Amino acid sequence: MFRSLFRKWRESRNASLQLDAILAAADPEAPLADRNGWLIELGYWIRRDGLPGAEGVAADKSRREHVRLRYLLQVLGRNPEVAGRFARMVRAIVRDNDPVTLLCDTGVASHPGFWSEVLNRLQARFLPPPPNRSDMAGLFALLFIDDNDADWVEALDGDLLERLAAVLRTDDPQAPGDAAELPEWDRFDRTLTTSIQVLVSQVRATGLSQAIRSRLKGKVQDTPFFRLDSAVQALCDEEEAARGGEAFAHRLNYFRALLDGCHQAAQRVYDDLEENGVSVEVVFQIERMKVRLARIELLLATWVEPQRRGRHAHLIAALIRSTQARRSIGHLAGTSFSQLARKVVERSAETGEHYITRDRREYRELMRAAAGGGLITVGTVYLKFLIYGLHLDKFIEGLLASLNYAGSFLVIHFAHFTLATKQPAMTGPALAHRLDAVGRPEGREIFVEDTIAMIRSNAAAIFGNLAVVFPVAMGIQWLANRILGANLITPAKAIATIESFSILGPTPIYAIFTGVLLWLSSLVAGWADNWFALHKVHDVMAYNRRLRYVLGARGATRMADFWKRNMSGIAANVSLGLLLGLGPEILSFFGPHMEVRHVTLSTGSVGAAIGVLGIAVLKMPSFWLAVAGIALMGLLNVAVSFALAFNMALRSRSLRPVDRRALSSAVRRRILKHPWSLIVPPRAPVGGASAEQGQV
């Protein structure tokens, strides 16, 4: 029994009644819920697979839905009584369902905030609207559920629409003799003007809100939002609209100019957000206002262009697409977070420019900075051994490891040194910027040059780190043994350390996990920089009364400037330390066991282990497996963090489709033609802007 019920439940998703049963069930006097359910059932029949068995129809090559509509009209044409009942049924449904909600609110976020709208959409996914409400928007949501519905509705030809309209006027007691005067149920103009006025009031309220108004220059009364209300009242005056003529055309042009002004004001708000930090809530309000402006323009075109063929089909198709987009949480998040993602990426790209070396002077500076980073990392390695050698509680171990990592990364940052594998998460967005110009040969050449420079710079940073961290870590252990006669780590710990880096173990998975953490730290850096700018923290600190009392006006300004310069770097390094130390412990508590595998830290650990075990370690197979594991570790650290950052940068920008295979081929050709360019930089910059000295 349960299997049968489950099969019926699964089949009910696309099943429908036969057409004769649907037509026989048409009852214009039935309750609204039954009438709406009848229309929904008709919609399922129209989308049903297969063609209806009518003469001359099966050979039709047009859309399946169009074929079924023609078949429906044929059946109604042969049965006038059924056609009359069908027309009265549809007219009753249209009459008793309020269309204003459909025209104004479909596809527009109904809640004032982003998170409340997310919860509302989650609820709508599991709780569809009931069919007993007199709400045309809810009926649309239940009627048009297929992704192709908008396409087949918009593709309806004029002849089919005219035949359908004629059928719907069958047995209409209000149908006039003059076709220019439509019955009340078919008079759409009044509904359109009412909906336009409702939308204008909503746009005006958003545009005059404090969040938007404070980001626009000039007086409030000079903004287009303030003048919208009087303009739409004059435009929608029924007597003036009925007369038409030059006066109406002038009002229409003025109203459209105000709509253009609203679009320009929205762009000015975006410009302010780009400069002063992005707020997701403000972006949400602007995106919702832009949707309403687009809806006003759609309704306006439908109203003032009555002779345009297919205008109603185009409007219904647009409403269907809006209804379906309204169900998507991904669409909401994409529109609301795109600006924040772009701001984060812009900050990462600005930092990433410092990591791309284009000539030998910059290459030498990067190698020096990387060597300094490797030297600091030696201390990090031995502190890590000390912390884990205490065998404390896992959370305490993770917290102490986080402080160790964060402190060491901050020292590297303020010493203007470089830590390998942090670069790719920054250079990815910088490289994605070059994609804006790859449609031109010179832009493609710059992209190729910067790609080669990025690969060369990352390789140089890793080499600079490893060239110092390995011998220094090994040398410190050797000196400790010679001078103090003691090992800083036990031989058993040294062997376990080498074996833990084996390429045959979970090292590749741990390296991928570490690459994700490196990327996440770059996101935190961009978010922190955006938060600092959005809330004008620099000005708050510079003009803080107590700070100025303690440090003086100049001292408060210098402190504010310091945080403005270093907020991103401090956030990146502290967050990376916390992620590397506490991240694996927290994840292991809730899910699979994870560990950190960072190529520089791991190489330093192997150096310390060799200092304990001596030259005999070269005869151990586990040592060579660890060497292979560290090589793969470095590749995965770089590749994963770069791929995630580059992909996010692409998604944050409105780029036209680019032939990626052509770009890849161009990069491969350059590598094959000049393989040494991956190792040896040119004597002078080849393309792109000159970069500053590399730093963390």
Side-chain angles (χ1 to χ4, degrees), residues 161-487:
L161 288 172
E162 290 175 3
R163 290 173 59 192
L164 184 60
V167 167
L168 295 180
R169 291 189 178 90
T170 304
D171 289 349
D172 183 9
Q174 293 182 333
D178 187 359
E181 297 179 9
L182 299 178
E184 183 64 29
W185 73 272
D186 200 17
R187 286 195 60 189
F188 202 41
D189 287 358
R190 183 178 299 173
T191 302
L192 288 173
T193 56
T194 301
S195 301
I196 290 172
Q197 288 174 300
V198 171
L199 286 166
V200 163
S201 67
Q202 294 169 336
V203 169
R204 187 172 186 266
T206 301
L208 295 180
S209 65
Q210 191 275 338
I212 307 301
R213 190 180 67 246
S214 62
R215 290 174 167 83
L216 296 174
K217 298 179 180 179
K219 298 180 179 179
V220 175
Q221 56 267 34
D222 294 333
T223 63
F225 303 110
F226 188 83
R227 291 175 284 173
L228 269 179
D229 189 53
S230 59
V232 76
Q233 292 293 342
L235 179 67
C236 295
D237 182 84
E238 290 192 16
E239 295 183 2
E240 290 293 336
R243 283 198 296 266
E246 186 176 344
F248 178 77
H250 175 74
R251 294 180 179 184
L252 177 62
N253 291 335
Y254 176 67
F255 182 67
R256 281 177 164 164
L258 288 179
L259 294 180
D260 292 339
C262 292
H263 280 292
Q264 293 168 7
Q267 185 56 50
R268 287 196 293 272
V269 173
Y270 274 140
D271 293 340
D272 179 85
L273 293 174
E274 285 286 338
E275 181 179 354
N276 298 312
V278 175
S279 166
V280 172
E281 292 298 327
V282 173
V283 171
F284 173 78
Q285 296 291 339
I286 289 292
E287 288 297 325
R288 187 169 66 164
M289 184 178 70
K290 288 170 64 178
V291 171
R292 284 172 172 157
L293 287 170
R295 182 64 52 79
I296 291 172
E297 292 166 351
L298 176 65
L299 300 184
L300 193 62
T302 305
W303 175 42
V304 301
E305 300 174 15
Q307 305 305 320
R308 181 164 57 89
R309 293 177 63 86
R311 63 189 180 114
H312 291 107
H314 176 69
L315 174 61
I316 293 173
L319 294 174
I320 293 171
R321 292 190 181 97
S322 297
T323 300
Q324 294 174 346
R326 177 73 172 78
R327 302 170 185 155
S328 172
I329 297 174
H331 181 267
L332 172 68
T335 55
S336 298
F337 279 99
S338 61
Q339 287 295 119
L340 178 59
R342 185 181 179 92
K343 186 67 176 177
V344 170
V345 166
E346 290 285 347
R347 175 60 194 176
S348 297
E350 180 182 340
T351 305
E353 289 289 346
H354 301 305
Y355 288 121
I356 300 178
T357 62
R358 297 179 175 85
D359 58 31
R360 298 191 177 187
R361 180 188 64 81
E362 294 175 350
Y363 187 81
R364 287 192 298 270
E365 290 295 328
L366 179 61
M367 288 288 288
R368 181 196 63 80
L375 185 62
I376 301 298
T377 307
V378 174
T380 311
V381 170
Y382 279 107
L383 275 176
K384 183 190 74 169
F385 280 132
L386 175 62
I387 290 169
Y388 287 103
L390 298 175
H391 302 292
L392 303 172
D393 180 77
K394 290 294 183 183
F395 179 81
I396 300 300
E397 278 188 352
L399 180 60
L400 292 176
S402 295
L403 295 176
N404 176 33
Y405 293 144
S408 130
F409 297 157
L410 286 174
V411 171
I412 293 174
H413 169 77
F414 287 110
H416 301 291
F417 293 152
T418 293
L419 181 67
T421 71
K422 280 190 62 181
Q423 295 171 292
M426 302 296 183
T427 54
L431 195 60
H433 271 258
R434 305 296 189 261
L435 287 175
D436 292 340
V438 294
R440 303 188 305 272
E442 59 273 17
R444 192 178 300 113
E445 182 68 17
I446 291 174
F447 177 83
V448 171
E449 291 291 344
D450 280 355
T451 300
I452 300 298
M454 183 273 299
I455 296 172
R456 181 175 60 239
S457 301
N458 286 323
I462 292 176
F463 178 78
N465 275 177
L466 303 190
V468 173
V469 71
F470 177 77
V472 173
M474 184 172 61
I476 288 176
Q477 169 56 44
W478 182 83
L479 287 176
N481 186 276
R482 289 294 298 266
I483 298 174
L484 303 177
N487 292 321

Side-chain angles (χ1 to χ4, degrees), residues 594-614:
M594 279 290 170
E595 296 179 13
V596 168
R597 289 293 183 268
H598 187 280
V599 62
T600 307
L601 294 170
S602 300
T603 302
S605 299
V606 170
I610 293 176
V612 173
L613 300 175

